[in-house]
Amino acid sequence: NAGVMQNPRHLVRRRGQEARLRCSPMKGHSHVYWYRQLPEEGLKFMVYLQKENIIDESGMPKERFSAEFPKEGPSILRIQQVVRGDSAAYFCASSPGFGVYGYTFGSGTRLTVV
Amino acid sequence: AQTVTQSQPEMSVQEAETVTLSCTYDTSESDYYLFWYKQPPSRQMILVIRQEAYKQQNATENRFSVNFQKAAKSFSLKISDSQLGDAAMYFCAYRSLDTFQGAQKLVFGQGTRLTINP
């Protein structure tokens, strides 16, 4: 009964490279949320997806960031041409639907851009 | 838009004592959820306690309880009999009860770092 699985746990990228962060929701959960946590700050909402659909991307930067949740496989948060300011912890959470009680977080991916 | 404010960047308490973490929020909605999450050094976000705004009774989970003051838009967390394992960042969070899809996200405060002194 695995929880929300995120990988990799740590990711180092050079400026200009691409970063791909993966999130496998809990079994039975079809809703995925991505959050970003800058150092010494709270989590900020980025995007909310259901299978094959982006529901709310109001927190996503307009450029270089994209997210998907395909019919099969994990949800992917993709950051193109990374810059130092993208260094942060990226968290994924999942829920079985619109309810709150199944809102479970993964352990996050710490992205470091050098 | 809703906002959540935690005015205490850091707090410390002696082991076995009681500590209260403050949280205020701003919203025009009447129904919503409020949460306290704990983030230990492992980075895992752990749900500590949840409060539904339509419930007048304050939520309690073992040593953790809240003081929910809806009119004042205040939601403080009290930790009784503090233990070394309680040391962590604590985040207050808000979620709308609205069912429209844009309301599903959590809005977090900046966090309070809690230190437990042995």
Side-chain angles (χ1 to χ4, degrees):
Chain A
N1 190 19
V4 178
M5 304 302 293
Q6 289 189 250
N7 65 82
R9 185 143 173 82
H10 302 277
L11 181 62
V12 179
R13 284 288 177 267
R14 296 186 185 278
R15 281 178 294 170
Q17 289 184 321
E18 179 180 285
R20 283 186 178 238
L21 288 62
R22 295 175 183 76
C23 169
S24 296
M26 281 188 70
K27 187 176 181 180
H29 288 194
S30 58
H31 296 232
V32 165
Y33 312 78
W34 285 93
Y35 289 79
R36 176 165 65 175
Q37 183 180 28
L38 294 171
E40 303 302 316
E41 293 189 12
L43 279 69
K44 296 286 196 297
F45 169 78
M46 299 182 74
V47 63
Y48 163 37
L49 310 103
Q50 295 176 25
K51 286 281 188 181
E52 300 185 280
N53 283 304
I54 296 175
I55 306 302
D56 179 1
E57 56 182 346
S58 58
M60 285 280 270
K62 293 290 185 282
E63 297 178 349
R64 302 188 297 106
F65 285 73
S66 62
E68 63 176 8
F69 189 16
K71 186 176 180 180
E72 301 291 337
S75 175
I76 305 288
L77 179 67
R78 181 183 179 204
I79 311 172
Q80 295 178 291
Q81 299 176 327
V82 296
V83 301
R84 289 234 171 96
D86 296 333
S87 295
Y90 291 83
F91 287 89
C92 171
S94 72
S95 75
F98 288 119
V100 177
Y101 307 108
Y103 209 110
T104 305
F105 280 89
S107 297
T109 293
R110 180 172 296 283
L111 171 66
T112 302
V113 180
V114 296
Chain B
Q2 295 83 17
T3 58
V4 177
T5 302
Q6 294 177 248
S7 59
Q8 306 155 314
E10 297 182 353
M11 291 282 285
S12 63
V13 64
Q14 288 296 125
E15 191 176 3
E17 297 292 310
T18 295
V19 64
T20 299
L21 309 183
S22 301
C23 172
T24 58
Y25 58 94
D26 188 26
T27 183
S28 58
E29 299 178 329
S30 58
D31 289 321
Y32 44 86
Y33 296 102
L34 294 165
F35 306 86
W36 278 98
Y37 280 89
K38 170 184 178 182
Q39 187 180 43
S42 67
R43 228 173 42 217
Q44 179 73 47
M45 292 291 286
I46 301 166
L47 178 63
V48 174
I49 201 164
R50 177 186 66 239
Q51 175 80 42
E52 291 88 344
Y54 56 86
K55 290 185 178 179
Q56 292 186 335
Q57 186 172 5
N58 289 324
T60 299
E61 289 287 341
N62 300 315
R63 297 182 296 106
F64 299 86
S65 61
V66 299
N67 183 5
F68 173 49
Q69 302 290 326
K70 191 172 183 180
K73 295 180 182 175
S74 172
F75 182 61
S76 60
L77 175 70
K78 186 171 84 171
I79 306 174
S80 304
D81 185 24
S82 299
Q83 301 176 359
L84 294 177
D86 295 334
M89 284 288 288
Y90 285 82
F91 293 98
C92 179
Y94 171 103
R95 182 190 178 280
S96 173
L97 196 62
D98 202 320
T99 55
F100 87 95
Q101 292 166 341
Q104 303 303 303
K105 57 181 175 284
L106 290 172
V107 178
F108 286 87
Q110 308 92 313
T112 296
R113 183 177 303 281
L114 177 64
T115 301
I116 311 296
N117 300 314

